[in-house]
Amino acid sequence: MATSRLDPMDLYDIHSEFSDDELMVRDSVARFVDAKALPLMREAFEQHTFPQELVPQVAELGLLGSSIEGYDCAGLNSICYGLICQELERGDSGLRSFVSVQSSLVMYPIYAFGSDEQKQRWLPPMARGEAIGCFGLTEPQGGSDPGNMKTHARRDGGDWILNGAKMWITNGTIADLALVWAKTDEGILGFIVEKDMPGYTTQEIENKFSLRASVTSGLFFDNVRVPEGNVLPGVSGLRGPLSCLTQARYGITWGVIGAAQACLSEVLNYTQDRVLFGKPLANTQTIQIRLADMSRRITTAQLLSLRLGRIKDAGKLKPTQVSLAKWNNCRAAIDIARDSRDILGGAGISAEYVPIRHMLNLESVITYEGTETIHQLTVGRELTGVNAFG
Ligand code: TGC
Ligand code: FAD
């Protein structure tokens, strides 16, 4: 019988491309996920709660704002950030979502576009997990087209008056600050709305079948008075929020690899133990083809993300390149999760096995941060020079 000496999670030996520091980060997050996070995730998913008790440990490991230099942040490279996302999402997409939003969608724009005062005030407590952020871009009338946002702000003396609503916002009800993008006479600006500002309310979205171990909320602004000092001075226009999305989407390309690996690992074990028609399922041709296809997709995703990370660290990353990988890797992961669920048969609908949880989570992941169609059209626009969104 042929025995594979390759790592089934890494057929192309991609780990040999990582530096010792990158491997150390990956392994320390992996240990945390195995020992601390995984024992909680299934119940958190079933209970529809985010396991907030993990936040201090996530912070202690330096996973919040990990790419930022200074401000109590770890100053790690993009590959490390990717590996952090991969290992966290091997646990659960909700956990990776928490870190994506805090790091890429709130800390990054404060670091990239904020004033010195805003950076000093918010980045260190956010790195320590003492302040939690959320990112408000999507609105009820259509998330794919954020340029059509209705939330708006007008100047009033030295302050701004903010009105509108945001929908589907990760961390919303547990956030100490919301980074809210709103239309103004001076273009789209980013506002730091603090949780106790009068007129600002949040409401948790209940009854989700996906990303249940994550808080998702609506944000409402009724004449909220925001001081000028809470407006990000360094950016105006859609470029502001979209450049945050580029950071977070990059992390997602890695994250979903972790979810896919968790599913493949589960079915590799299961199909060796499950005996049908007198032989283990793993010994049948069709099952092997399906497992091989999962491996092909994971390997392709790993290579895309690795290349993307190196380009990013070289400062040459283009949003279209991120779109291609977000599309490819999310599609790969959700197909792997769905097929894994099927290979488990009836057991596949039980939370005792990870695929159905990942499969349901990935319905959100393939939708948020730009749906699959948005990323396909972004690549199409790059190839043809024609904008087909409208
Ligand atoms: P368009 O004309 O293409 O661009 C407007 C300006 O933005 C610049 N730009 C980007 N900059 C950085 N990164 C990107 N990815 C960028 N894409 C565009 C562009 O250069 C331009 O700059 P300037 O200076 O010339 O004005 O804008 P458009 O209105 O045609 O829209 C294009 C489109 C459809 C791709 C965009 O609207 C889009 O990406 N839509 C999807 C929205 C989305 O992804 N929302 C996600 C919300 S946040 C979220 O889901 C968090 S989930 C987190 C979690 O829990 O993990
Ligand atoms: P729509 O934009 O209404 O899209 C509906 C359908 O139309 C999709 O299939 C889409 O692909 C398709 N479509 C759109 N445009 C076109 C076109 N031109 N041609 C053909 N088809 C098209 N947002 C935030 O701002 N912050 C967050 O923290 C956040 N967290 C989220 C957490 C979860 C769990 C979820 C589910 C969403 C979250 N979102 C967040 C919102 C997310 O980004 C949006 O759901 C997403 O961008 C899609 O927007 P929509 O839901 O309004 O769908």
Side-chain angles (χ1 to χ4, degrees), residues 97 101 105 134-146 166-172 179 181 208 210-212 214-217 245 249 361 363-377 387-390:
S97 258
V101 170
L105 296 183
C134 70
F135 176 89
L137 178 63
T138 302
E139 300 193 356
Q141 74 277 356
S144 298
D145 183 14
K166 299 288 178 179
M167 182 76 174
W168 298 112
I169 306 305
T170 301
N171 296 347
L179 181 51
W181 299 93
K208 291 178 297 167
S210 173
L211 228 70
R212 287 172 62 84
S214 171
V215 169
T216 317
S217 320
L245 298 184
R249 290 166 176 173
N361 282 339
E363 295 289 347
S364 288
V365 181
I366 202 169
T367 298
Y368 66 33
E369 297 279 0
T371 65
E372 187 171 60
T373 305
I374 289 299
H375 293 296
Q376 290 168 329
L377 293 178
N387 185 342
F389 290 108

Side-chain angles (χ1 to χ4, degrees), residues 34 42 44 57 85 92 134 150 207 275 299 303 318 344 348 388:
D34 288 337
R42 175 179 152 187
Q57 299 167 66
C85 290
D92 193 273
C134 70
K150 306 297 178 215
N207 306 319
V275 176
T299 305
L303 290 169
K318 297 282 188 296
L344 292 167

Side-chain angles (χ1 to χ4, degrees), residues 226-265:
V226 183
E228 175 71 26
N230 281 32
V231 180
L232 298 185
V235 75
S236 72
L238 213 45
R239 188 176 69 83
L242 292 183
S243 59
C244 306
L245 298 184
T246 297
Q247 311 301 315
R249 290 166 176 173
Y250 163 75
I252 288 172
T253 74
W254 286 87
V256 295
I257 294 170
Q261 286 174 324
C263 295
L264 175 58
S265 175

Side-chain angles (χ1 to χ4, degrees), residues 120-190:
Q120 294 292 353
R121 174 163 178 210
W122 292 110
L123 294 178
M126 290 190 80
R128 293 193 296 268
E130 293 160 9
I132 292 175
C134 70
F135 176 89
L137 178 63
T138 302
E139 300 193 356
Q141 74 277 356
S144 298
D145 183 14
N148 185 37
M149 69 175 68
K150 306 297 178 215
T151 298
H152 60 277
R154 62 173 168 82
R155 282 190 183 275
D156 185 53
D159 299 331
W160 291 82
I161 305 296
L162 180 68
N163 279 287
K166 299 288 178 179
M167 182 76 174
W168 298 112
I169 306 305
T170 301
N171 296 347
T173 50
I174 59 168
D176 301 286
L177 68 155
L179 181 51
V180 177
W181 299 93
K183 272 194 174 150
T184 76
D185 288 344
E186 298 157 43
I188 291 171
L189 297 177

